[in-house]
Amino acid sequence: MNDMENGSAAVVLRPGRDIVASTVEGLRQEWKKALTPGVAALTVDLSDVEMIDSVGLGLLIATHNTLGKVGGKLRIAHACPDILGLLRTMRLDKHFILES
Amino acid sequence: MDHMDDDIMTMFIEDTREHLGDIEACLMDMERDGEEIDEEVVNKVFRAAHSIKGGAGFLNLQNTRDLGHKLENVLHMIRSREIAPDTRVINILLGGFDRLRTLVELGPPGDAEDISGLLAELSGLAVEHLPEEKKADLARTVDIALPNGRTIFTEDRLSLEQAVAGGKLLYLVEYDLIHDVHARKKTPLDIFSAMEASGLILDCRMDLAAVGDLDAPPTNSIPLYVLFSTIVEPDVASYLFALDERRITPIHVETLLADAPPPAPDATPQAGADHAAAPAAGPATAPAAGPAAGPAEEAGGRFGPLALVMEDGVARLTTGPDQEADLSGADLAAALSACLTRGIGVRLDLSPGTEPGLDGLVALVSAARSFAARGLSLAHAGEVPAGLSAQAARAGFTARALAEAGVDGRLFGMS
């Protein structure tokens, strides 16, 4: 289940499962619904996410691009060391806000 | 060699404890000696940082590798008398080694630690003491482009010079995360782990705009560009990257630097920039690891306790009969790298008690692949040292795993 906490302008998404090709389309639809007009701050909480594949990275980048249109930033929280290392190696820490 | 990882991690932690056992005392000695450095003490501390960096690269421990690299940079500058080890410098190093020890003990979770402040402090220390001409190189940038002329990266001259130090080669690698990675049932982490085990990622860039947004149809392409330095020759680079040769552009750094415009009169370096000072970061696990060769190495004479003697067009690397177990992985890596750069085969003539440590084993694995790729011989002159084969067995090396990695097991006493 993709838990969501929706404040007035900030949303926290908790996919709770790996972000990979087989889950991305469902997550994409849920995240689109969560990004209602006015939401400019979005946190993806990666607790319980052990793997992100290429398609999953595409979803994070697409989310970043959507937020960028309204001047928002994508925040990533609770990434496991492997995923955190991957995002840093790919220099995505220049685009996303990574919380250890 | 994934199934070896647990054994190697245990060995790495043990090696690190040994390396750092009396590091505080050595650093205090360095502070006491001041500008009149005792090279033996500085080299010992340098080798500790270098060895830990090498092992961390092999195990994909990024924070440990990055911190080891920054400490190594500062120690190299102390060794070359560019930095005097005063109280302030020693305090920074003490803090750095203390954190390094903690990171190693943490293992992979250590990568979640925020060490950016410490890295910046070490970088700042190095930049502060760079010679003026090197500071100018930090401010001078060079564009790196695809064959079609599209600029992908802009790097400073100093980073590029360091990237190819010790005979390493630089490549601009073009991946498509959908076609080259996902379609081949690999993950981005697989790709980066393989690259970091055989070289150094200088820079990385994704084409974010090509992905579209959440309203766009699922993307069919995610371009990823990697600037990568390695000792691997162009003919085996395609195999290493699992990519068509057309997606791998060798970058001729010498030509680029020669063509670069002179510095602007008011060019000033960025204070505190997160640039490595000399020396270059060697491939995390490759034999070219380590600082640029010093005068002795350039002359082809000695690498720590190792002597290089030319015999019938082949280099004999020998510890001599009296050397027992004092060979560091860094010395072995530097000697093998020098031979590789010169295109000469090697006979290893090591004393029976030689124990190269984890970084030495890793250097031998990397060297075996590179020597084979270039058609050069790498073998023992006589018996495989018992210490070396015992360490290899302890690290979980097996003849089968080595064969799968394209390495002749006889180099480690396994057939």
Side-chain angles (χ1 to χ4, degrees), chain A residues 54 65-66 69 88-89 91, chain B residues 62 111 177 208 212-214:
Chain A
S54 298
N65 289 345
T66 296
K69 288 180 177 175
R88 284 179 181 153
T89 301
R91 307 295 192 261
Chain B
Q62 295 189 38
D111 276 349
L177 286 183
L208 271 57
D213 60 19
L214 286 172

Side-chain angles (χ1 to χ4, degrees), chain A residues 21 24-26 28-29 32 55 58-59 62, chain B residues 178 210-222:
Chain A
V24 156
E25 201 41 45
R28 175 191 293 272
Q29 297 306 325
K32 271 174 70 173
V55 182
L59 176 64
Chain B
I178 299 300
V211 177
D213 60 19
L214 286 172
D215 292 319
T219 183
N220 193 33
S221 173
I222 306 178

Side-chain angles (χ1 to χ4, degrees), chain B residues 352-400:
Chain B
T354 299
E355 292 184 343
L358 177 59
D359 54 331
L361 293 175
V362 170
L364 267 181
V365 169
S366 298
R369 288 170 167 164
S370 299
F371 275 71
R374 298 189 199 185
L376 300 171
S377 63
L378 173 61
H380 293 280
E383 295 291 317
V384 179
L388 190 156
S389 55
Q391 280 197 323
R394 238 181 98 217
F397 283 33
T398 63
R400 183 177 173 185

